[in-house]
Amino acid sequence: MLGKAGLVEILIEKLKNFFPPTSIDPCLQVDCKLSLLESRTQKQDCDLDAIDSATCALANVLSLHTPNTIRLLAVGGLEVIFKIFHSHSYFLVDLLDFDKEIRIRGNAANVLTNVLAAMREEGCLQNGHFGKRLRDNETNKQLQSLAPALISLCAASLQSARRAAALLLGNLALESELRVALGEGGAIEALWSAYVQASDKDQCNITLWALSNLVWSSRANQERCGPFLESAVSAAYKSAHTFRQPQKWTKSAVKHNNIVLERAWTLCLVANALYFNEPNRARLICSCDSIEKLVVLAGPYEPPIVREPALRCLISITSTYRGVRRVVLSDYNSGACKTFVRAISENAYGAEGVRLQQLGAAALANICTSTDARKAV
């Protein structure tokens, strides 16, 4: 309704008044220094409250609404959002405005997150012009240039800004080219630091989701995540609840349990980092008790959303003879094969049960490649 009434166009026009078109490439504006007189003039003309309100309203009106995203792209709104990230000299009249600058960049990150999500929707991709924008070379360069601003936003004082940065980094990481560039820019370390310092479980889950996206199918990013893997497994195990009997987990109970979701996303990060990465596998094989913790997390006491990534971790580790010996033949892991058999015999309905059965069978298949381990099976 608001989009049809022209709200998107009005908001973009307002922002264009604060960030007029320039002949300078947006990707290079970070390195450009305006003269003192020009800087003062622009700061006087800049109404931070108006920019804050406009970007916040724009993020809200674009949320889960592809038609409004198309309207924003049609009037050049994407270029304006890029300028907000790069135009440092437009902000900070004094130190009292520092939080406003952070909030504005957080709003801009939310706008870009909604744009990227909508550009992947079928309705938007069917439109040839807009659908190609996401993989356009110029747009990719502009998105890559956001890395320094987003990484600094991960350490912002405002929780909403840190959340917005993690959401945008997670969405950008869905593109393989951007994934590598973000990793090189330090996104892995920044997000892990944000996760360790986060006090809100929702923020933890978003940050872990972004990290798991960055690590997927990128050997360089997997290596960057290597030093955190043992800590990640320990964190997942520490939050686990122990029951005397296997627990019945309903989807609604899991969906609203942030502690369980954090455990699941932590293990998903570890599983992605271990995938076809021998150095990371060796880290966990040589660790004191990481394998034992993964075996427990893959057991029937956990919900399927946690068991699945834990089984994926164990499949990666048992893909080598050294890993098989560590998982099965260790004196501390006498129940590992029993865990895999229980996964195969999982009677849960739907795709979750089938997935657990497949993963349990794959783990046992890896184990059976070792003559010594077959007796344990």
Side-chain angles (χ1 to χ4, degrees):
M1 183 69 73
L2 294 174
K4 289 182 179 179
L7 179 60
V8 174
E9 290 82 357
I10 292 172
L11 292 173
I12 292 300
E13 192 61 35
K14 287 286 185 183
L15 290 174
K16 282 182 177 179
N17 292 334
F18 295 116
F19 302 97
T22 64
S23 58
I24 302 175
D25 189 325
C27 297
L28 303 177
Q29 288 187 13
V30 177
D31 300 324
C32 296
K33 295 185 179 179
L34 300 173
S35 68
L36 181 61
L37 179 61
E38 290 174 331
S39 179
R40 286 177 179 173
T41 303
Q42 289 175 341
K43 288 174 181 176
Q44 290 170 355
D45 293 338
C46 182
D47 186 340
L48 293 180
D49 289 327
I51 296 175
D52 183 16
S53 300
T55 50
C56 183
L58 196 59
N60 290 336
V61 79
L62 293 179
S63 179
L64 301 176
H65 203 285
T66 302
N68 283 348
T69 299
I70 295 177
R71 293 185 180 97
L72 176 137
L73 295 172
V75 295
L78 203 56
E79 288 73 15
V80 177
I81 300 303
F82 286 138
K83 286 181 180 179
I84 291 176
F85 277 103
H86 293 307
S87 301
H88 297 280
S89 56
Y90 282 93
F91 302 118
L92 287 181
V93 176
D94 54 47
L95 290 176
L96 295 177
D97 290 324
F98 187 66
D99 281 349
K100 290 182 180 178
E101 178 193 1
I102 293 174
R103 193 162 57 243
I104 289 169
R105 296 193 193 284
N107 293 339
N110 283 329
V111 170
L112 273 179
T113 298
N114 291 333
V115 169
L116 290 173
M119 289 175 79
R120 294 187 180 96
E121 292 291 330
E122 182 180 358
C124 196
L125 291 176
Q126 284 177 349
N127 188 315
H129 174 65
F130 299 121
K132 293 178 181 177
R133 288 295 300 276
L134 188 58
R135 291 177 174 80
D136 179 75
N137 287 335
E138 182 181 351
T139 303
N140 263 337
K141 288 180 181 179
Q142 289 175 321
L143 290 172
Q144 288 178 23
S145 70
L146 299 179
L150 290 176
I151 289 168
S152 65
L153 208 58
C154 287
S157 57
L158 295 178
Q159 180 180 325
S160 59
R162 296 195 300 270
R163 181 181 185 275
L167 273 173
L168 182 51
L169 284 170
N171 275 276
L172 291 174
L174 294 174
E175 299 295 319
S176 57
E177 293 181 6
L178 297 176
R179 193 182 304 141
V180 174
L182 291 170
E184 291 173 349
I188 300 286
E189 293 79 2
L191 284 171
W192 181 257
S193 178
Y195 164 68
V196 171
Q197 298 173 14
S199 57
D200 178 69
K201 290 298 180 184
D202 187 51
Q203 173 69 37
C204 288
N205 294 339
I206 292 171
T207 306
L208 288 168
W209 165 78
L211 276 168
S212 64
N213 285 353
L214 280 166
V215 171
W216 175 250
S217 190
S218 172
R219 186 173 182 82
N221 287 352
Q222 287 176 324
E223 298 291 341
R224 294 184 181 98
C225 198
F228 317 135
L229 293 183
E230 193 172 350
S231 298
V233 173
S234 296
Y237 182 79
K238 186 178 180 180
S239 71
H241 297 283
T242 303
F243 301 96
R244 292 185 178 179
Q245 297 295 331
Q247 179 81 350
K248 277 281 187 179
W249 291 94
T250 62
K251 287 187 177 181
S252 59
V254 171
K255 183 178 180 181
H256 297 96
N257 192 325
N258 277 331
I259 296 177
V260 172
L261 292 175
E262 180 185 357
R263 195 149 69 245
W265 281 119
T266 303
L267 291 173
C268 187
L269 166 62
V270 176
N272 288 352
L274 293 176
Y275 190 66
F276 283 100
N277 190 291
E278 185 57 32
N280 283 347
R281 292 172 187 164
R283 290 176 188 271
L284 292 190
I285 290 172
C286 296
S287 68
C288 181
D289 56 0
S290 294
I291 303 299
E292 288 73 22
K293 291 174 180 177
L294 287 172
V295 170
V296 172
L297 291 167
Y301 306 110
E302 292 293 324
I305 194 175
V306 174
R307 295 175 67 188
E308 180 178 332
L311 286 168
R312 285 178 53 210
C313 293
L314 292 170
I315 289 171
S316 291
I317 291 169
T318 55
S319 62
T320 64
Y321 179 71
R322 185 184 178 193
V324 169
R325 292 184 61 84
R326 180 68 174 83
V327 171
V328 180
L329 301 179
S330 169
D331 293 336
Y332 302 100
N333 277 336
S334 58
C337 288
K338 188 180 295 185
T339 296
F340 301 144
V341 172
R342 281 183 173 179
I344 293 175
S345 60
E346 179 63 44
N347 57 3
Y349 295 104
E352 286 182 342
V354 173
R355 182 65 175 158
L356 290 177
Q357 292 170 356
Q358 291 173 339
L359 293 172
L364 283 179
N366 285 346
I367 291 170
C368 288
T369 59
S370 168
T371 305
D372 296 336
R374 288 176 192 166
K375 294 180 182 179
V377 176

